[in-house]
Structure formats: structure tokens, C-alpha cells
Amino acid sequence: MLCHSSEELMAFVKEARSAAKEGKVAEYIPALAKANPNSLSIAIFYPDGKCISAGDIDKKMTLQSISKVISLALVLMDRGEKEVFSRVGMEPTGDPFHSIGKLETMSPAKPLNPMINAGALVVTHLLKGKSVEDRLQPLLSFIREMAGDNRIDYSEEVALSEYQSSFLNRALAYFLRQHGVIQEDVEELIDLYTKQCAIEMNCLELARIGMVFAMDGLDPMRGKQLMPPKVARICKTFMVTCGMYNASGEFAIKVGIPAKSGVSGGIMGAVPNTFGIGIFGPALNEKGNSAAGTKLLELLSKTYRLSMF
Ligand code: GLU
């Protein structure tokens, strides 16, 4: 049994919206603090092109950490598993996404996984090209293709706002550079990383990307394999083990689908072989996940038995 109409979805949005009160919008990136905490939208994209949605669906969000899954997919295609996993690990940390603690206890200083900031910085470092723009373009093209919209771009305002306030990410990057895990200029890497995080879209486009992951990299509507199934499988596994920050275990129990969240309040879900989900609800709970978005997924999972476990 699956959710089949936007009206059905709207009832869940109404119920979940009250959970936004328990959350707060992210303020450490000043531009994100402007979001309306009560806003909530969701889209579900099916492999046959059908899409149902509810809430403030025209609102755009920046991908933030959701971009980490997509840059990982691209870098795995460009560089191969061996090179990527020689620099970043495969284990969840149980720590907040920007924690520096475990890095210091690792020898070599290899970040534990690509979903925490330290690991994501290493993955972004592996994007090929000479200049920042050169390296961003293939990522943007990949995202545009998956989302089915050529107009997708990054928000200059959010990118600049994060670039100017990214002290912790700079600290992580300098640490990684000191230990030879990355080699490039830290300012350039932060410039590229903050632009990657500021790529902007609505929940319909996000749901379409989730659908491509759900279908193991296939865009069924165009009959095009956008990434090898193995790459999609690796990404979805990271989404399960560390996609919802240090609440991934609880999320696996209560919802049970591969998902990745971002501090903008976005969540991308990929229900294997079934559909993709895009959610935007900017008020975050104490672990950094969209409070209303998480509630919404719990309701949907329970009602439609979405858990893969
Ligand atoms: N751009 C954000 C940062 O690095 C991404 C964090 C997130 O969404 O979890 O702080």
C-alpha cells in the first residue's frame, strides 16, 4: 500500500507541522537563519514520473549536507572506490557532523565517513578540475540531470554567508592538510565546498534525485543509467548508517529508509525500487534534522510500512 494522492499527503503534512515548534532554524550560517521555521513541504516522485506533493512546494532549499551524497557518487565514478576509500572511511561516528574529536584519535587522520564534514571535505577535494568553477560544473550537471532541471544552480548569498562563517570547516581542512589527507589550498576548498552546499532546489527536484538513488542510479523515465548500481548502493548504505547525523540509528528503527538530511532542513529519501522523497522543513531538532520532516517520515513509514528492515 502506497500513498497515492497529494490530498492524502496533505493530511500527514498538517499532522507533522506541529513538530516544527520543537525545532529551531540553523543560525550558524547566517543566511539560513532567515527561513520560516513553520514551513513544511514534501514531494514523492515515482519511477513512472508521477509526482505527488503537499505544503509549501515552491520554497527552495539549499542542499547543505544532502550534497555530500551526490558529490560522493560523482567522485566514486571519477576516481573509483579504491582511491576514495583510501582517504575516507566507511564507519559511522556517533558524533555531531562537524566534530573534530575523532580525527585526532585516528592514525592516519582519515575521516571516518564521507557524511561528516571532515569526510565530505575530503570528497569535495577529490572533485576533478583546475579551478573552483571547473570542479563545480560537473557536480551541477550531474545534479541537473538527476533532478531533470537544467536551471538548478547554487545560491550565491548562502554560499558567501557560509564561506564567511566557516571557521570550523576551515579548522577541519587545515587539520587534514597538515596530515597530508588533502593537498590543496584550504581557502579554495572551502570556496568549492560552500558552493556545493549552497546548491538550491525545491522538494520536487529533490524527490526526483531520491528516486534515481532508489532505482539504483537509473532514470527510468529517460531510460538512462546516471550512475552504476554499485555506486548508488554505496551511497544508500551511507545514508542508512550515517545519513541522519548521530540520530541515524534511531531513524533506522523508526523510519527505516535510506535518507540524508541537511542543516537547511532538507531531507532526501530513497525507498528502494519504490520512490524518492524530498522534504523541506527548516526547523531542526537537537541532532540537526528537520523536526517536522522527521516526524512526517515517521508517520509515512508507519502508515505505509516503508521500512526496509
Ligand atoms: N554546509 C554545512 C556545513 O558544513 C553542511 C552541514 C550540514 O548540512 O549538515 O556546516
Side-chain angles (χ1 to χ4, degrees):
M1 183 180 60
L2 293 176
C3 184
H4 277 305
S5 75
S6 296
E7 292 70 38
E8 225 173 310
L9 214 45
M10 194 59 214
F12 290 105
V13 167
K14 282 187 181 145
E15 190 176 345
R17 198 171 253 153
S18 58
K21 284 202 240 40
E22 293 150 31
K24 264 179 77 202
V25 299
E27 285 170 348
Y28 79 103
I29 300 174
L32 295 184
K34 294 182 189 165
N36 171 5
N38 298 316
S39 170
L40 182 63
S41 54
I42 179 169
I44 293 183
F45 211 106
Y46 291 85
D48 63 2
K50 178 177 167 181
C51 180
I52 57 173
S53 57
D56 316 309
I57 51 167
D58 295 325
K59 287 259 162 65
K60 280 190 180 179
M61 71 192 105
T62 53
L63 289 180
Q64 299 301 332
S65 270
I66 302 170
S67 69
K68 293 171 180 174
V69 189
I70 306 170
S71 55
L72 174 66
L74 188 61
V75 159
L76 280 169
M77 285 190 281
D78 280 357
R79 307 243 181 197
E81 271 178 72
K82 202 161 163 234
E83 184 180 347
V84 174
F85 293 122
S86 70
R87 290 172 187 255
V88 62
M90 301 182 186
E91 302 303 334
T93 65
D95 295 329
F97 66 95
H98 44 29
S99 174
I100 199 163
K102 288 234 169 63
L103 259 192
E104 235 202 321
T105 63
M106 305 291 294
S107 179
K110 179 171 147 176
L112 273 164
N113 70 67
M115 300 295 117
I116 50 172
N117 281 11
L121 285 163
V122 171
V123 170
T124 300
H125 166 67
L126 294 174
L127 289 172
K128 283 183 177 167
K130 288 202 178 69
S131 63
V132 167
E133 285 307 317
D134 248 23
R135 294 160 78 194
L136 190 65
Q137 278 317 311
L139 181 65
L140 269 173
S141 306
F142 185 44
I143 287 176
R144 286 171 182 153
E145 193 153 31
M146 282 197 284
D149 192 332
N150 272 331
R151 293 163 303 179
I152 288 174
D153 217 325
Y154 68 91
S155 153
E156 285 182 24
E157 186 202 349
V158 176
L160 184 65
S161 175
E162 186 177 8
Y163 181 78
Q164 288 169 339
S165 55
S166 240
F167 305 112
L168 200 44
N169 285 330
R170 279 183 176 81
L172 290 168
Y174 276 113
F175 187 92
L176 293 167
R177 177 151 180 194
Q178 178 71 39
H179 289 273
V181 187
I182 62 168
Q183 284 83 27
E184 72 175 296
D185 177 67
V186 166
E187 285 308 307
E188 217 168 280
L189 177 59
I190 298 295
D191 186 13
L192 178 57
Y193 174 75
T194 49
K195 284 176 177 156
Q196 167 193 314
C197 288
I199 294 172
E200 202 175 34
M201 65 185 66
N202 61 30
C203 63
L204 276 79
E205 290 149 352
L206 190 61
R208 195 183 195 286
I209 298 179
M211 183 272 292
V212 173
F213 278 106
M215 299 308 288
D216 276 344
L218 177 74
D219 177 348
M221 284 142 60
R222 286 184 287 171
K224 230 171 144 184
Q225 191 74 37
L226 301 180
M227 72 186 97
K230 175 123 193 252
V231 167
R233 193 174 59 73
I234 293 172
C235 291
K236 280 185 284 188
T237 312
F238 278 122
M239 287 162 77
V240 170
T241 57
C242 23
M244 299 298 282
Y245 305 118
N246 43 335
S248 298
E250 185 182 344
F251 186 84
I253 289 171
K254 293 187 177 165
V255 181
I257 63 166
K260 181 74 201 90
S261 66
V263 290
S264 52
I267 304 177
M268 176 178 79
V271 183
N273 298 313
T274 311
F275 52 59
I277 304 173
I279 289 181
F280 179 42
L284 308 178
N285 61 25
E286 72 287 354
K287 295 283 173 71
N289 294 311
S290 168
T294 307
K295 175 80 187 164
L296 186 52
L297 284 170
E298 283 174 16
L299 293 170
L300 288 172
S301 179
K302 204 166 144 202
T303 311
Y304 300 108
R305 296 172 188 258
L306 299 181
S307 175
M308 57 194 278
F309 301 107

